[in-house]
Amino acid sequence: MTDQERQDNVRLRRRIEQLDAEAAVREGRISELLSQAFDLEHEIRDYAAMRDVLTPTGLRAGPGLEVECSFTPATDGVAGDFYVVTPGPDEDSTILAVGDVSGKGAESARRATFVRTALATFAGFVDEPCQLLELSNQVLVERAGPSTIFVTAVVVVLRPREGRLTWASAGHPPPLLLDSGELLNGRKPTPPLGIDASITCRPGELEIAPSAGLLLFTDGVTEAHRPREAMFGESRLADVVRELAGLPPDEVVRRLESAVLDHAGASLADDLCIVAARMVGP
């Protein structure tokens, strides 16, 4: 074998070793990507399960009440908007709640799921909105621990036969009356849930006429906007509700959702969650 042939063999072996090393790197990267894909698939399944809990398709309104709900997810990321519609502990009460969680991702969605489950569970035994918020906050902090990830919520108890509603808010926008577009302000809001084990809550109460109703929503509605343009806002929300005066809840929700999506354009920065309820005669 000549010197040239030996040199060619050495170069060939080095090239083969280089290709083997590159193949090993590619295989390792492929394995890493496959692992990430499996992890992502599990997360997606987890999110899907949580979403089914946070925004169930079946509604369980009590007698004398029509209710419609709508949920549209954010374009990017996983947030944690939720709603609750369930009969209260007696024949004349229905519990409505809407909530949101700070941040996005699995942990935020899990904490929202915890609060939503707690509210729905306690609603079968308690029909005072402050008690529902206080109990849900207590179990959230005791079971999941305090966190910088907090949950806002508003709870309403409607009694159609009495023509009365009570409500309480934990860092969440207050309910809005259908037809008039009036926000039920005037009560000092409770801090959001999940920050401290002890919260102080002050409920509001209002007598409402037959066929009256209300709207619950998350800030994804009022903060929806196109880039560099104004938010949808509470004033525009009230205007739309007044334009829809007298319509049934399903029509109110459909048209309001359409108005918000038209205003927001192709991309939603946050979830949209809307609940409309109207009292109906016997």
Side-chain angles (χ1 to χ4, degrees):
M1 183 181 292
T2 66
D3 289 339
Q4 183 62 47
E5 289 173 337
R6 282 193 292 271
Q7 291 175 5
D8 289 341
N9 285 339
V10 169
R11 283 196 292 270
L12 181 59
R13 284 196 299 271
R14 287 176 178 171
R15 180 55 179 162
I16 291 173
E17 291 172 356
Q18 180 182 4
L19 291 173
D20 286 344
E22 291 175 357
V25 170
R26 284 195 297 272
E27 289 176 0
R29 180 58 178 156
I30 290 171
S31 296
E32 180 182 349
L33 291 174
L34 285 173
S35 177
Q36 291 176 356
F38 286 132
D39 290 343
L40 181 58
E41 182 184 8
H42 293 155
E43 283 194 17
I44 290 172
R45 289 176 179 172
D46 196 17
Y47 291 148
M50 286 190 285
R51 178 50 57 202
D52 289 342
V53 173
L54 292 171
T55 55
T57 54
L59 303 178
R60 298 177 55 235
L65 200 65
E66 288 184 355
V67 182
E68 183 64 30
C69 303
S70 170
F71 171 79
T72 307
T75 304
D76 297 314
V78 176
D81 285 17
F82 64 85
Y83 57 75
V84 175
V85 179
T86 186
D90 62 48
E91 295 182 353
D92 188 41
S93 63
T94 294
I95 313 297
L96 308 177
V98 161
D100 193 3
V101 63
S102 63
K104 294 184 179 181
E107 180 58 26
S108 292
R110 288 189 184 99
R111 292 181 76 85
T113 302
F114 196 103
V115 171
R116 195 268 173 202
T117 302
L119 285 170
T121 301
F122 289 130
F125 306 93
V126 176
D127 59 4
E128 294 296 333
C130 277
Q131 283 185 273
L132 288 168
L133 289 173
E134 291 165 357
L135 289 168
S136 299
N137 177 72
Q138 183 178 348
V139 295
L140 174 63
V141 174
E142 288 180 354
R143 301 284 181 87
S147 172
T148 56
I149 300 174
F150 56 84
V151 180
T152 70
V154 60
V155 177
V156 173
V157 179
L158 267 168
R159 297 180 177 278
R161 279 192 300 199
E162 296 180 15
R164 182 167 61 92
L165 70 86
T166 54
W167 77 94
S169 169
H172 198 88
L176 178 150
L177 293 177
L178 294 184
D179 305 333
S180 72
E182 176 190 353
L183 280 171
L184 297 180
N185 288 313
R187 294 295 183 274
K188 183 179 179 181
T190 301
L193 312 178
I195 300 174
D196 191 285
S198 177
I199 59 173
T200 301
C201 180
R202 298 172 61 184
E205 185 171 347
L206 183 70
E207 291 185 3
I208 55 176
S211 80
L214 76 161
L215 185 86
L216 285 72
F217 58 94
T218 58
D219 59 10
V221 173
T222 51
E223 294 179 5
H225 65 98
R226 298 173 189 266
R228 296 180 295 279
E229 292 191 11
M231 295 181 180
F232 192 77
E234 290 183 356
S235 177
R236 187 178 278 106
L237 171 60
D239 289 343
V240 171
V241 169
R242 282 191 288 268
E243 291 172 2
L244 304 177
L247 293 179
D250 58 345
E251 194 71 9
V252 172
V253 168
R254 185 181 67 81
R255 295 197 189 186
L256 174 58
E257 181 184 45
S258 178
V260 175
L261 293 175
D262 285 346
H263 186 82
S267 180
L268 282 177
D270 200 358
D271 294 347
L272 301 183
C273 187
I274 305 169
V275 175
R278 187 181 293 279
M279 296 192 298
V280 293

